[in-house]
Amino acid sequence: MKRLLRSLNPLGTVWLLLRWTALAAPVGVLSGSASALFLWSLDEATQLRWQHGWLLWLLPVSGFVVGWVYHRHGRGSEGGNNLLIDQIHAPGGGVPVRMAPLVLGGTLLTHLCGGSAGREGTAVQMGGSLASLLGRMLRVSQEHWRVLLMSGVAAGFGSVFGTPLAGAVFAMEVLVVGRMQYQALIPVLVASLVGDATCSAWGAHHTVYHIAIAPGAGAHAALDGWLLAKVVGAAALFGLASWCFAELTHGLQALYRRLIPYAPLRPVAGGVAVIALVYLLGTRDYLGLGVYGQTPESVSILSAFTAGGATPWSWLWKLLFTAVTLAAGFKGGEVTPLFFVGATLGNVLGTLAGAPVDLFAGLGFVAVFAGATNTPLACTLMGIELFGGHYAVYFAVACFVAYFCSGHTGIYLAQRIGVAKHTPAAGDGRTTLRQLRERR
């Protein structure tokens, strides 16, 4: 019995649990508060842009301002989410505290003037920057520093989307393709839960999505073989859309760098390209986040959950607008635009397949994200948190298949390949997606 008690070490386990809770909870409070401020500011910036359409003409100017500030004062902050991943893998120079205000200001300017960008990158970078600041103040060890940074990622993600479970799993899953970092299980969960609760306590509200469930259908959808086959086929296309977005974004980024050596001028060119696309298509539906539409007729994420709520090529135009914006150096995240791409593509595929449009919009919403970030488990949980657990099996199938079909690419090039999808030589745990891309 004594040997068993020594092996369990209950007091040591409780002490470790309390210590991690004490470290992770403040990260959640700081990140959740930052997300609440960001969400409020982002809503105000979007409303201003809708009220003053001429702000779009200032997009190249705002791009120069963002590019110049990062060029002169960024000092590594331009690495963004990839810097966070690198620092978690190999703590060294740390995450600059200035990353939080820089990415907040850059993202708000991007959205105010109409750039097509998201919000996850901003929330995650603010969370990581604040966690790094806390780590410096407490003088934690390198190992604890890594876990604090992961907690910041979890808290930022969970609070900005209102999905604390997905946020916790995302922080553990995003670092290495095919592997989970379970040593941070408790702190990332604590940070994400506290971050979400803090953000809500500040009065921040998250979008409510709805997928219809037939009366009396029970807690879980019955497994329909024909519907499952349609989901698998659609998921393969969702994965290809993820691949297209990642490859186009990285390709355009390399093109900008080659053609425009002076970094602050790249967003200027990107801003001009976005304005040209707006007037070429004759619509502003693909600017900004895209969660809500400026008018009832606008294509948006919410409209994609209704029949006829997207055009056949809405997904492609949003993909192009976002790739042009972010590759040029504007700030924000990729995830909410990916929600738009997935939901509108799902709307089209559901219509063509004679399947429920709202269900397929929801599947695309999470599956394109899963393929682009290589985080199928987090995205499955996100589907359950946002849409309910009735279609959980279909969410999992869509995310897993999209993840497989997206190949060894992704929006975070600092990700390492732990378990290869279908090329065993790549899965050594040290090779990054960036290195794999450079070998092609």
Side-chain angles (χ1 to χ4, degrees):
M1 179 60 72
K2 290 182 179 179
R3 185 179 299 174
L4 177 62
L5 288 175
R6 279 198 301 270
S7 65
L8 291 175
N9 192 13
L11 291 179
T13 301
V14 171
W15 167 244
L16 187 61
L17 181 64
L18 292 175
R19 184 173 63 176
W20 276 125
T21 300
L23 282 172
V27 173
V29 172
L30 291 171
S31 299
S33 299
S35 291
L37 172 63
F38 173 51
L39 290 173
W40 175 82
S41 304
L42 187 56
D43 185 59
E44 291 296 311
T46 301
Q47 293 296 327
L48 277 174
R49 175 170 54 81
W50 284 352
Q51 294 165 14
H52 306 287
W54 54 266
L55 283 169
L56 176 63
W57 293 100
L58 296 181
L59 186 59
V61 178
S62 68
F64 180 80
V65 171
V66 171
W68 185 84
V69 169
Y70 267 84
H71 183 67
R72 291 296 299 271
H73 305 288
R75 298 182 186 177
S77 298
E78 67 275 3
N81 289 350
N82 286 307
L83 174 63
L84 288 176
I85 293 173
D86 283 335
Q87 286 300 309
I88 293 171
H89 281 309
V95 178
V97 177
R98 64 173 59 88
M99 176 184 277
L102 284 177
V103 74
L104 176 61
T107 302
L108 292 178
L109 265 180
T110 297
H111 282 277
L112 178 65
C113 296
S116 177
R119 52 192 175 185
E120 134 280 338
T122 305
V124 165
Q125 289 171 50
M126 289 193 301
S129 177
L130 293 169
S132 179
L133 173 62
L134 184 63
R136 287 193 183 96
M137 292 171 61
L138 298 178
R139 298 181 180 180
V140 299
S141 65
Q142 274 200 354
E143 185 59 31
H144 287 175
W145 188 296
R146 293 179 68 251
V147 176
L148 271 183
L149 286 181
M150 292 174 67
S151 300
V153 170
F157 189 100
S159 60
V160 82
F161 291 124
T163 55
L165 294 181
V169 174
F170 178 82
M172 295 187 292
E173 191 177 18
V174 74
L175 303 176
V176 182
V177 177
R179 288 183 188 168
M180 294 275 282
Q181 309 297 306
Y182 282 111
Q183 72 272 24
L185 182 64
I186 296 300
V188 296
L189 180 61
V190 170
S192 191
L193 288 171
V194 172
D196 179 51
T198 301
C199 187
S200 297
W202 280 110
H205 300 287
H206 301 289
T207 307
V208 177
Y209 301 96
H210 178 69
I211 296 178
I213 300 173
H220 302 287
L223 196 60
D224 182 326
W226 183 228
L227 178 60
L228 184 62
K230 293 178 181 179
V231 170
V232 171
L237 295 178
F238 294 146
L240 290 177
S242 304
W243 178 87
C244 287
F245 177 79
E247 290 297 306
L248 179 61
T249 302
H250 299 319
L252 286 176
Q253 194 173 46
L255 182 64
Y256 279 124
R257 287 174 176 170
R258 186 166 65 251
L259 297 180
I260 309 174
Y262 186 54
L265 290 180
R266 294 170 197 155
V268 176
V272 172
V274 169
I275 293 172
L277 284 170
V278 167
Y279 283 92
L280 176 67
L281 297 179
T283 179
R284 299 191 177 203
D285 289 355
Y286 308 115
L287 301 177
L289 277 177
V291 177
Y292 304 98
Q294 186 173 355
T295 68
E297 296 78 26
S298 299
V299 177
S300 65
I301 295 176
L302 282 174
S303 76
F305 284 79
T306 60
T311 70
W313 299 108
S314 293
W315 64 274
L316 181 60
W317 292 125
K318 184 62 174 178
L319 187 153
L320 180 60
F321 270 76
T322 307
V324 168
T325 299
L326 295 179
F330 284 97
K331 299 305 170 184
E334 300 92 343
V335 171
T336 304
L338 287 173
F339 292 163
F340 188 113
V341 171
T344 51
L345 179 56
N347 180 290
V348 174
L349 296 177
T351 301
L352 292 175
V357 167
D358 54 353
L359 172 60
F360 271 58
L363 294 173
F365 184 109
V366 293
V368 172
F369 176 31
T373 58
N374 296 301
T375 55
L377 294 176
C379 293
T380 300
L381 282 175
M382 173 173 268
I384 294 170
E385 288 185 289
L386 291 178
F387 308 120
H390 186 74
Y391 292 107
V393 171
Y394 294 104
F395 292 143
V397 169
C399 290
F400 292 2
V401 172
Y403 162 78
F404 182 81
C405 292
S406 66
H408 290 117
T409 188
I411 57 177
Y412 307 133
L413 290 179
Q415 281 182 313
R416 298 185 182 185
I417 304 173
V419 179
K421 298 179 186 180
H422 34 68
T423 308
D428 57 10
R430 297 185 299 274
T431 303
T432 65
L433 293 181
R434 180 182 291 107
Q435 292 169 333
L436 199 62
R437 180 179 176 79
E438 290 170 351
R439 294 174 187 170
R440 295 174 188 167

